[in-house]
Amino acid sequence: MAEDIGSTVPRRQLGRLLRQFRNEAGVTLDAAAEALEYSRQKIWRLECGMGSVRVLDVKAMCELYGVSPEMTEAMRGLAVETKSKGWWHAYGDAVPSWFELYVGLESAAAHLRRYDESLIPGILQTKEYAHALYRLGGRLSDEDRERAVQVRLQRQSLLVRRLPAAPRLEAVLSEAVLRRGVGGPAVMGGQLDQLLKLSELPNLSVRVLPLAAGPQPGAVAGSFVILDFPPTKGGRTAPEPSVVYSESLTGALYLDKPDELAAYERVWRGLDALALGEAESKDMIKRLIGEMRHD
C-alpha cells in the first residue's frame, strides 16, 4: 500500500486544469463537445475527475484551448497517473462507486479531521463492531459482508504506513457514539479498548464531545470529514484543495468551494473548543469500559 494511493488526486487535479483552461479560452462545454466530437457528458466527467483520462484526449483539449506546450506536457503526465489503480479496486463491489472517491482521497490526505455523532468511524472500527453493523438489515451475503469488513480493516493500515508518511488524524466523537451499544457489551468493550490503543499512535488524536456540552455546531452539520492534502511532487501543480466529505445511506457529498470549506472550518473550531482534551477523553472511555463490564 506504500506507493499505491491510486489515481484519485491526479484525476481531480487534471480535471480542474482542463476546466480552468477551457474557461480561460472562453469555450463553453457545448462548443468544446462539438469541436472535439465528444459528448457534453464526457467533457463534464473529465473535468469532474471521474475516471481515467486518455493522453490523446488531453492533447486534443489542450490544442483547442491554446495551452502552452510545457503545461500540456505536465497535463499529459497527469493523464498517465489517472490510470493507476488503488488497493480498493481489488474488492470490487464491496466499495460502492460513490465511496471509492473518498477512499482514494483518504489514502492521499496528509491531515484528516472528522466528527462523528452516531457511530465509530470505519477507520477506527474493530472487525467485530464492523460485522455487527453490516448484519443490520441482513442485505448482504456472508461473503459480501466479509469483503466489506476487510475494506474497513485495510483502510486502517494507512494510519501506520511509512511511505508516504501516515496522515494526521484528529477524531472528535460524540459521547453518544461511545454509549450506543453495537453487537453487545463484549463487542462494544473491545471497540472502546481499540480506541484507547489507537489513541497512543503519535499521529492520532481521539477526543470526546460530552453530551453535557449541550447544543453545538456539529448537531446541525452532522458527521463529516475535512481532508487536507500534501504538496504535489516537485511542485508541478498546486496542492490538491481541501475537501469536506459528508456521507448518507446511498451517496455522499464532496464539498470544496471556499465558502463551503469555511463553513465547516467554523464548525470544526466550535467542536474543538467544546471537546474534552485527549487525557480527559481517555478517562471517559475507560470509565465507560468499566461500566460495561460491571453491568
Side-chain angles (χ1 to χ4, degrees), residues 203-218:
N203 56 314
L204 184 58
S205 168
V206 177
R207 298 169 62 202
V208 179
L209 181 69
L211 294 172
Q216 38 76 26

Side-chain angles (χ1 to χ4, degrees), residues 12-43:
R12 287 167 62 87
Q13 290 173 334
L14 181 56
R16 273 195 307 278
L17 288 170
L18 290 171
R19 183 168 59 249
Q20 172 190 325
F21 287 121
R22 178 177 61 76
N23 288 332
E24 289 179 358
V27 179
T28 65
L29 269 177
D30 289 325
E34 183 177 352
L36 296 167
E37 298 184 348
Y38 295 166
S39 69
R40 189 178 190 277
Q41 177 74 0
K42 174 177 178 175
I43 295 179

